[in-house]
Amino acid sequence: MVSSDPTLERHFKGHRDSVTSVDFSYSMKQIATGSMDSCVMIWNMKPQMRAYRFDGHKDAVNSVQFSPSGHLVVSASRDKTVRLWVPSM
């Protein structure tokens, strides 16, 4: 049996350059993304809720990941820094 084509659940738009990393929170309520634009963004899965932009890195963000509890997001950048962020719930 052939399954049907996938459908787009939601489109997240806000980075100014290529997205390099994505991670889901453990609760599946938020997504963290890192980008070549040096920013980390936290997206809420409910469409009516806003996204949050975290500026601070001086170069591309290579990796983002939620902590197991979901109370922190860590990002690693080509600027040779690792930063911890507190995502807004």
Side-chain angles (χ1 to χ4, degrees):
M1 178 176 195
V2 176
S3 62
S4 62
D5 289 338
T7 58
L8 179 65
E9 180 71 27
R10 181 148 175 239
H11 181 164
F12 297 89
K13 188 173 181 178
H15 279 294
R16 298 180 187 114
D17 206 337
S18 302
V19 174
T20 56
S21 184
V22 177
D23 191 36
F24 279 93
S25 67
Y26 182 75
S27 68
M28 302 294 285
K29 292 181 178 177
Q30 293 181 310
I31 298 171
T33 57
S35 171
M36 295 294 288
D37 66 7
S38 306
C39 292
V40 172
M41 292 191 71
I42 306 295
W43 311 87
N44 288 297
M45 292 299 288
K46 291 184 179 177
Q48 68 272 22
M49 295 181 70
R50 64 170 287 194
Y52 297 90
R53 178 185 302 275
F54 296 87
D55 296 304
H57 284 295
K58 308 242 184 296
D59 204 342
V61 176
N62 299 324
S63 180
V64 294
Q65 188 166 356
F66 278 94
S67 66
S69 69
H71 293 105
L72 293 170
V73 172
V74 65
S75 58
S77 170
R78 283 198 323 206
D79 67 9
K80 302 179 182 104
T81 66
V82 173
R83 293 180 184 251
L84 282 174
W85 311 91
V86 178
S88 297
M89 295 295 180

